[in-house]
Amino acid sequence: MLVVKPVKAKSKALLDPSGSVWSSIAASSLSLKTTPAGTQPTSYTKVAGKQRGEAAVTSASMRLCHDGQRIYVHLEWKDENEDLATDGNGFPDAAAVLLPLGNDAPINQMGSEQQAVNAWQWRAGDEQGRSVVARGVGTTEPTPDPVEVAAARAGNRWRVVISRSLAGAGSDSVALATGGDSRVGVAIWEGSVGERGGFKAFTENWTDIRLAE
Amino acid sequence: MARTRKGSAGGSTRQVAMVFDLNKCLGCQTCTIACKRLWTRDEGMEHMWWATVNTQPGRGTPKDWEEMGGGFRDDVAQAGKLPTTRDFGEAWKFNHEEVFYGGKGQDVHLKPEGDPDWGPNWDEDQGGGEYPNSYYFYLPRICNHCTHPACLEACPRKAIEKREEDGVVLINEDRCRGYRFCMEACPYKKIYFNHARKVAQKCIFCFPRVDQGVAPACARMCPGRVRFAGYLDDEAGPIHKLVKQWKVAIPLHPEYGTEPNIYYVPPLAPPRLDENGDIDESNPRIPDEYLEFLFGPTVHDALAILKKEMEKTRAGGSSELMDLLISRRWLDMFHELERDPASLEWSTGT
């Protein structure tokens, strides 16, 4: 169980991926795997997935905190290329945090019909984050939650902060509360090798978290 | 697994289609510009030409698209290559300022900036064959609004729909996330990526016009009367007659397995000249194998029908097919879609 501690810091400081507040928070290491071609949602992506190599990113570090109002997820991983893909060729780097709406939601299937999952996404070059709900692969739909994101390059690494209100905005948004438990997963897309959609690196297992009061 | 297809329109009750008569296309690009002016002038669309006309034989647009994969083989999706904006041919910037307003009009040629090595019509009019038997013809292309659309099946966002009422294939930009699997899966490579809006875009068969009985702009603007437009099931219209009744209009690369709804009247060519400069009727100027590569083996049947009907008129008789292809009354090319767009009252959407 990873305890998400409360911090006394302004949102602006927490949304600085290289800010000093993050150096005081312990990092968890994540191991990421390639999504199997068989779980891709369409016949085309299954075929194309079989021809792809392993996902590019195999490890990342994660730091979590909350300020009583919002939860902040800090991700850091090695990536030699900063891919913004602004000219329409190639794909942007991206990352997402996944939380289950029902605690038994399968992470490797992006949830199920009965057990949805809620993802908060960052995409390089986009100023706003995005929240989606999924009930199985290929079923993501946007939810109205404002997701704040911030990203910075630190040498050959990405540092990204993804933040959302603890309460969430609706029935398809995971509701968090101090004193409560939840679980998180992470996905990372390496744009330079064409990772997007279901082609990504992801954590095969949930990390259990508890939001300390 | 293949998507269930009902009847001949892929689950749609009707299917719009076009027939391009390649014997009449003179490569003027009026269709190309009609489309560009109407649909692809915004930021992010600079490199887009939803309607293209390329010289055949040639590498086409995007460059070497026929080697990029996608489509279906035995109903199984095939992996495809993602075309780049360079493959399509980037929008060149010209030195207009210098030539027209910089006082150098007498010294400097109008030319693209940089040193481009490809464009949407880079190999225009090169064609094939050796003098005196060189040959070429023009191949107009738009989205095929396929009955079995590879793009629709590929999209994990379910952002592509085939309209129930007329089979037009559309990308829902609110659902599209710019993954571009559609661009890889489309074997005709007629989908573009808008880098400003981060969505895929393509020909929409001018559906706001079709909804009001007006033919698509490319068809209506064609000065050569090349492009017939209408519904496949309209037995009184030219599409049904050319495709189903006369069987002289056939799809491009039917082996791609998507059941396209743009049909082509294949090109006839003048006869070959032999080494003495005499007419040699025994060998076609456009090689059979090249036409088969483009249109499949039924191209020979279509050409045989065309030749037979041409002979009838040469002998002083009449041919319904020749009259249909000549299109003496321009609006007969559109039948159900013959309404004048100037007669429409457009909603401002407010």
Side-chain angles (χ1 to χ4, degrees):
Chain A
M1 182 72 74
L2 179 66
V3 177
V4 182
K5 292 179 182 165
V7 292
K8 283 200 171 85
K10 290 195 169 154
S11 187
K12 194 178 167 188
L14 290 163
L15 283 167
D16 175 0
S18 296
S20 57
V21 62
W22 289 109
S23 53
S24 63
I25 295 169
S28 310
S29 351
L30 304 172
S31 169
L32 289 91
K33 303 287 183 198
T34 311
T35 44
T39 61
Q40 296 298 330
T42 68
S43 53
Y44 178 82
T45 48
K46 279 183 171 63
V47 167
K50 274 185 201 155
Q51 299 185 5
R52 294 184 62 84
E54 298 288 302
V57 178
T58 55
S59 64
S61 67
M62 176 174 71
R63 293 173 168 87
L64 294 151
C65 70
H66 73 84
D67 61 5
Q69 300 296 315
R70 304 181 67 85
I71 182 166
Y72 298 82
V73 183
H74 182 283
L75 300 172
E76 182 170 343
W77 68 97
K78 189 177 172 191
D79 180 354
E80 300 289 345
N81 315 297
E82 178 184 12
D83 299 300
L84 304 175
T86 47
D87 69 351
N89 293 303
F91 295 88
D93 296 325
V97 184
L98 194 70
L99 296 96
L101 273 94
N103 259 357
D104 297 326
I107 192 169
N108 58 349
Q109 294 287 332
M110 289 291 286
S112 65
E113 256 180 59
Q114 295 75 31
Q115 304 260 350
V117 290
N118 184 197
W120 310 335
Q121 302 171 336
W122 162 81
R123 188 162 72 173
D126 289 358
E127 287 183 5
Q128 292 291 318
R130 186 170 184 263
S131 173
V132 296
V133 65
R135 293 180 169 83
V137 291
T139 66
T140 56
E141 294 291 338
T143 74
D145 301 88
V147 172
E148 289 196 49
V149 290
R153 294 287 294 171
N156 61 353
R157 302 175 74 77
W158 271 118
R159 287 176 182 158
V160 171
V161 178
I162 300 174
S163 167
R164 203 210 66 178
S165 72
L166 290 175
S171 58
D172 278 340
S173 309
V174 67
L176 302 172
T178 53
D181 294 347
S182 189
R183 323 175 91 179
V184 297
V186 166
I188 293 174
W189 291 262
E190 171 52 51
S192 68
V193 293
E195 290 179 5
R196 78 280 199 197
F199 298 160
K200 64 190 177 190
F202 79 115
T203 52
E204 284 184 302
N205 301 302
W206 295 109
T207 299
D208 292 318
I209 60 168
R210 171 163 297 160
L211 275 73
E213 298 195 41
Chain B
M1 194 152 112
R3 182 170 158 268
T4 307
R5 304 200 292 280
K6 292 180 212 154
S8 60
S12 301
T13 51
R14 300 193 82 190
Q15 177 66 56
V16 286
M18 283 201 211
V19 169
F20 297 166
D21 183 352
L22 299 186
N23 293 297
K24 294 164 85 178
C25 181
L26 40 88
C28 70
Q29 308 283 356
T30 308
C31 52
T32 313
I33 299 300
C35 177
K36 186 77 188 168
R37 297 279 303 175
L38 192 54
W39 298 117
T40 62
R41 296 176 71 192
D42 290 347
E43 188 193 355
M45 303 175 111
E46 295 86 352
H47 67 299
M48 291 189 196
W49 302 95
W50 292 353
T52 49
V53 182
N54 281 111
T55 300
Q56 303 297 134
R59 299 175 76 175
T61 302
K63 182 166 61 180
D64 300 326
W65 63 274
E66 287 154 307
E67 296 165 17
M68 287 185 176
F72 304 95
R73 195 177 301 148
D74 300 327
D75 242 8
V76 177
Q78 301 294 303
K81 181 174 175 276
L82 181 65
T84 63
T85 49
R86 272 180 69 83
D87 293 332
F88 282 111
E90 284 161 328
W92 304 340
K93 289 195 175 76
F94 286 78
N95 55 339
H96 290 117
E97 195 66 30
E98 184 180 33
V99 172
F100 294 121
Y101 308 108
K104 293 188 182 171
Q106 300 300 315
D107 315 315
V108 179
H109 291 293
L110 186 67
K111 62 185 180 191
E113 293 173 6
D115 191 15
D117 58 5
W118 189 252
N121 278 286
W122 190 264
D123 54 3
E124 186 160 45
D125 292 357
Q126 288 180 14
E130 291 293 326
Y131 178 83
N133 288 310
S134 46
Y135 66 92
Y136 67 76
F137 57 92
Y138 296 108
L139 185 73
R141 299 202 304 125
I142 61 173
C143 165
N144 281 293
H145 297 276
C146 300
T147 297
H148 186 195
C151 58
L152 183 153
E153 279 199 28
C155 180
R157 296 279 311 131
K158 300 184 183 71
I160 304 183
E161 61 169 318
K162 186 165 177 66
R163 295 214 305 182
E164 199 270 336
E165 64 269 37
D166 56 16
V168 171
V169 175
L170 293 179
I171 299 171
N172 179 340
E173 293 182 12
D174 291 333
R175 293 199 61 80
C176 177
R177 282 287 283 169
Y179 296 156
R180 288 161 265 174
F181 294 120
C182 56
M183 291 174 67
E184 291 180 2
C186 171
Y188 297 94
K189 298 292 176 279
K190 283 309 283 180
I191 307 177
Y192 292 79
F193 183 63
N194 182 322
H195 62 85
R197 295 172 53 82
K198 299 181 183 174
V199 293
Q201 295 179 320
K202 65 167 197 70
C203 160
I204 58 174
F205 209 91
C206 286
F207 77 86
R209 291 164 65 105
V210 168
D211 283 348
Q212 305 207 54
V214 179
C218 61
R220 224 186 130 87
M221 294 293 280
C222 174
R225 303 194 182 184
V226 171
R227 299 160 94 102
F228 299 82
Y231 294 87
L232 263 178
D233 65 357
D234 173 16
E235 293 187 7
I239 303 287
H240 187 275
K241 286 179 181 167
L242 292 168
V243 175
K244 303 285 187 188
Q245 185 187 327
W246 284 100
K247 299 185 184 348
V248 292
I250 52 179
L252 178 65
H253 287 301
E255 76 279 11
Y256 290 170
T258 62
E259 300 173 40
N261 287 300
I262 304 302
Y263 297 85
Y264 295 86
V265 178
L268 296 152
R272 286 179 68 85
L273 298 177
D274 66 18
E275 57 271 24
N276 302 317
D278 295 325
I279 291 172
D280 171 13
E281 298 272 10
S282 61
N283 287 304
R285 182 173 295 211
I286 305 177
D288 280 347
E289 55 270 27
Y290 184 60
L291 290 176
E292 263 192 56
F293 163 71
L294 289 176
F295 302 108
T298 59
V299 71
H300 305 303
D301 303 328
L303 287 170
I305 295 164
L306 287 168
K307 284 175 185 165
K308 190 176 157 198
E309 292 299 309
M310 285 169 75
E311 282 307 316
K312 274 194 203 170
T313 57
R314 279 197 186 122
S318 64
S319 162
E320 187 203 339
L321 175 61
M322 287 300 117
D323 287 344
L324 190 58
L325 289 171
I326 292 166
S327 312
R328 289 196 172 81
R329 183 177 175 270
W330 171 56
L331 287 173
D332 286 348
M333 298 183 73
F334 311 129
H335 201 236
E336 287 184 65
L337 300 177
E338 73 167 55
R339 189 167 173 192
D340 180 354
S343 72
L344 299 178
E345 286 184 27
W346 291 99
S347 158
T348 57
T350 52

